[in-house]
Amino acid sequence: MQINILNKQNSVVNNYLAELRSIEVQKDSMRFRRNIERIGSIMAYEVSKQLEYKQNDITTPLGVAHVNQPADNIVVGSIMRAGLPMHNGVLDTFDHAENCFISAYRKYTSKESFEIHLEYVATPNLDGKVLIINDPMLATGKSLAMTIEALRRYGKPKHTHVMCVIGSQEGVDFLTKSLEGFDATLWIAAVDEKLDAHKYIVPGLGDAGDLAFGEKM
């Protein structure tokens, strides 16, 4: 699996990351969602450089322009609910894409132990398409690995792009091992060094779903 870490180079992504992490700025849930959207749009632009293209003739008022346009069929998939803002950012770039939604969550058996439960999948056929899966936080990597495995029942993608905002090194390593043999690329804005006892990323940013949409019961 190819891994692209955006904050290894200086770019405006670092501004969005700083605001997402800031305990003061992230209190503004609308701005929090918007920063995730913007990172999603930037990653989608980077993915667009790796697509297959076809030259089309476009008629203008004064003649014909030859334009290279993406030839791949794209499916944008998101793990709910935290993935929804990123989904919007990617879909803003690939506005002709099909959509896929997955419900995956942690079911705690104790304060520090949990299992990943996947309850709901809504997706088109994935055969031969470019699949983009969004999940802002790559903590253990188990929910993403389980999601990609579940989606195999719906066809074999031409290539799978995984997009995350912040991950742990443990999560990146687990996902890399899980996707061995897959045609897959990971796009991630930052990789943090560790997980805490509850498997939250440190320093991370907290619970992305709660910060975007409010605390859950």
Side-chain angles (χ1 to χ4, degrees), residues 112-123:
E112 297 180 1
S113 299
F114 63 88
E115 297 175 348
I116 302 295
H117 279 245
L118 195 151
E119 287 189 333
Y120 172 84
V121 176
T123 181

Side-chain angles (χ1 to χ4, degrees), residues 89 110 142 150 176:
S110 69
K142 292 180 180 178
T176 300

Side-chain angles (χ1 to χ4, degrees), residues 92-167:
D92 187 55
T93 300
F94 296 122
D95 54 347
H96 293 99
E98 296 178 277
N99 295 270
C100 166
F101 297 97
I102 306 99
S103 172
Y105 68 96
R106 294 180 176 187
K107 184 174 182 179
Y108 282 87
T109 54
S110 69
K111 281 188 175 182
E112 297 180 1
S113 299
F114 63 88
E115 297 175 348
I116 302 295
H117 279 245
L118 195 151
E119 287 189 333
Y120 172 84
V121 176
T123 181
N125 185 285
L126 300 175
D127 274 327
K129 299 175 182 177
V130 174
L131 175 62
I132 300 173
I133 293 289
N134 309 300
D135 193 8
M137 307 305 288
L138 176 58
T140 65
K142 292 180 180 178
S143 60
L144 267 169
M146 182 180 292
T147 294
I148 294 170
E149 179 63 30
L151 289 175
R152 294 179 69 181
R153 300 195 301 266
Y154 301 93
K156 182 180 179 181
K158 176 182 178 181
H159 193 86
T160 299
H161 294 275
V162 179
M163 294 185 182
C164 304
V165 176
I166 298 174

Side-chain angles (χ1 to χ4, degrees), residues 42-89:
I42 289 171
M43 288 183 178
Y45 171 74
E46 294 298 326
V47 167
S48 75
K49 300 175 185 178
Q50 299 191 4
L51 299 177
E52 184 177 337
Y53 280 75
K54 177 183 177 182
Q55 187 182 87
N56 294 314
D57 295 335
I58 307 299
T59 301
T60 80
L62 300 175
V64 176
H66 307 296
V67 182
N68 288 334
Q69 293 179 281
D72 288 313
N73 293 316
I74 298 170
V75 177
V76 181
S78 294
I79 297 178
M80 300 188 292
R81 61 182 171 153
L84 294 177
M86 204 168 189
H87 187 102
N88 290 335

